[in-house]
Amino acid sequence: MSFKSGFVTLIGRPNVGKSTLANQLVGQKLAIISDKPQTTRNKIRMVLNLPDAQIIFLDTPGIHKPKHKLGEHLVELAVSTLKKEVDVVCFLVEASEMPGKGDKYILKQIEGIKTPVFLVINKIDMISKLKLIEVIDKYSKLYDFSEVIPVSALTGENTQKLVELIVQYLPEGPKYYPEGEVTDLPESFIIAELIREKVLYFTKDEVPHSVFVTVDDIEKKSNNLVVVMATIYVERDSQKAILIGKNGNMLKKIGQLARQEIEALFGTRIYLDLWVKAKKDWRNREEYFKSADF
């Protein structure tokens, strides 16, 4: 049997479930998840190894109208995957919503590319079959999609069918990544993202988009213990106070939950030492977000 391999980009508006779907497809949590838009800030490669194929999924930031330099950078990252060599584009939309301005803007970016484009309608667990037919009809009038696949990234419904269809469109090729390797991201990036996810989970609207995390040091001790030193950056001292909380309680909760997930992912005991610092207006200063594991 021939072996197939290739790259598949997941694009869509913020908060349509790209990261949840990517995690579901590879069977492991590598991209952080939140109900807050613009959670994904990097292009994340996630590898699915099959007996006859290897699929490298590119989870990208949501495409949106930027309000600051960070937003511009995120949109550039997402759109750039369309212009580079990918074998399939998966355009994710929400089943509960009809096409809006954001979706039409993304379709405009896709115009003219020769790459097969799948319409992946996510969150079908939230709507009726009749509503789904209406959504499919509306989108199909806007673009000539190679495939239309309704899925639920949350429950896994129909995701196996999506994988099978992707493999059909992939060219014959080599294994780009060794068996067992599920991402090319360094440990420090994954740890920083898991910490940021817990910040998003515990904090309200004032804090989430003003946060980035750096892992300053990882030291492996004896007795299966790893010491991780990390810093959470915000834009204002008032946000710093929120993250630390009364008597340090908020930071403690963030650290405990992050440590549990890091331990589960890496299979080792973790001592997590967290600090919080303020860097004023970092989202408009490229030297910060382009060089950090934000």
Side-chain angles (χ1 to χ4, degrees):
M1 289 179 62
S2 61
F3 190 85
K4 291 186 166 188
S5 61
F7 294 80
V8 177
T9 187
L10 306 178
I11 64 164
R13 290 181 293 104
N15 212 28
V16 293
K18 296 183 297 296
S19 296
T20 304
L21 179 61
N23 288 336
Q24 178 73 248
L25 292 170
V26 300
Q28 191 168 341
K29 181 177 176 180
L30 295 171
I32 70 171
I33 299 165
S34 169
D35 60 358
K36 298 179 175 65
Q38 300 171 43
T39 297
T40 301
R41 292 178 175 173
N42 298 77
K43 188 165 57 181
I44 300 172
R45 291 182 181 86
M46 305 164 79
V47 183
L48 175 61
N49 286 298
L50 302 168
D52 58 346
Q54 185 179 78
I55 308 172
I56 300 96
F57 291 101
L58 306 178
D59 181 21
T60 63
I63 297 176
H64 61 284
K65 187 176 181 179
K67 296 179 180 179
H68 39 65
K69 286 190 180 294
L70 171 60
E72 292 173 6
H73 175 63
L74 299 185
V75 172
E76 283 172 15
L77 271 178
V79 173
S80 70
T81 64
L82 301 173
K83 299 172 182 176
K84 293 180 181 177
E85 192 93 12
V86 292
D87 301 287
V88 175
V89 173
C90 287
F91 172 43
L92 263 72
V93 301
E94 283 197 34
S96 58
E97 296 183 12
M98 292 298 172
K101 288 182 180 178
D103 300 301
K104 291 172 183 176
Y105 173 77
I106 295 170
L107 290 174
K108 199 80 177 168
Q109 307 306 306
I110 295 172
E111 268 183 16
I113 69 169
K114 296 179 181 178
T115 310
V117 179
F118 290 11
L119 175 66
V120 182
I121 303 173
N122 190 23
K123 306 184 184 182
I124 59 170
D125 50 303
M126 298 173 62
I127 64 162
S128 67
K129 292 281 173 66
L130 198 61
K131 176 75 172 176
L132 177 59
I133 292 169
E134 188 181 353
V135 172
I136 291 172
D137 180 60
K138 291 286 186 184
Y139 275 100
S140 296
K141 288 176 180 175
L142 296 176
Y143 192 88
D144 184 19
F145 296 101
S146 301
E147 301 286 349
V148 177
I149 313 100
V151 303
S152 171
L154 187 64
T155 67
E157 183 180 353
N158 226 24
T159 53
Q160 185 56 42
K161 177 64 176 176
L162 173 59
V163 170
E164 291 169 3
L165 284 171
I166 287 171
V167 171
Q168 288 180 25
Y169 282 79
L170 293 184
E172 291 187 12
K175 277 192 177 182
Y176 292 99
Y177 293 89
E179 194 75 35
E181 190 169 319
V182 291
T183 184
D184 59 358
L185 296 171
E187 287 182 352
S188 60
F189 176 88
I190 296 172
I191 291 171
E193 286 288 87
L194 289 174
I195 295 167
R196 186 166 66 90
E197 181 183 59
K198 303 316 166 196
V199 173
L200 297 179
Y201 177 77
F202 281 115
T203 58
K204 296 184 179 178
D205 293 341
E206 184 182 352
V207 175
H209 299 311
S210 302
V211 170
F212 75 88
V213 179
T214 61
V215 172
D216 308 310
D217 190 40
I218 300 176
E219 187 177 350
K220 295 180 180 179
K221 305 280 189 180
S222 56
N223 302 321
N224 197 37
L225 176 68
V226 176
V227 176
V228 176
M229 309 282 289
T231 304
I232 303 171
Y233 289 94
V234 290
E235 288 185 314
R236 299 190 298 275
D237 287 332
S238 60
Q239 295 165 338
K240 178 179 174 181
I242 291 170
L243 277 186
I244 294 172
K246 188 176 180 180
N247 299 321
N249 286 338
M250 176 62 80
L251 191 60
K252 185 177 180 181
K253 286 196 294 185
I254 292 167
Q256 284 177 337
L257 209 55
R259 177 182 55 78
Q260 290 170 10
E261 286 218 16
I262 296 165
E263 286 182 338
L265 187 60
F266 292 101
T268 186
R269 290 189 304 126
I270 299 288
Y271 176 81
L272 181 58
D273 191 0
L274 284 181
W275 295 81
V276 184
K277 295 181 181 179
K279 277 190 176 180
K280 188 177 179 181
D281 200 30
W282 67 264
R283 286 183 292 176
N284 281 312
R285 300 171 68 178
E286 293 186 15
E287 67 270 22
Y288 288 153
F289 60 76
K290 284 196 173 181
S291 62
D293 291 338
F294 70 94

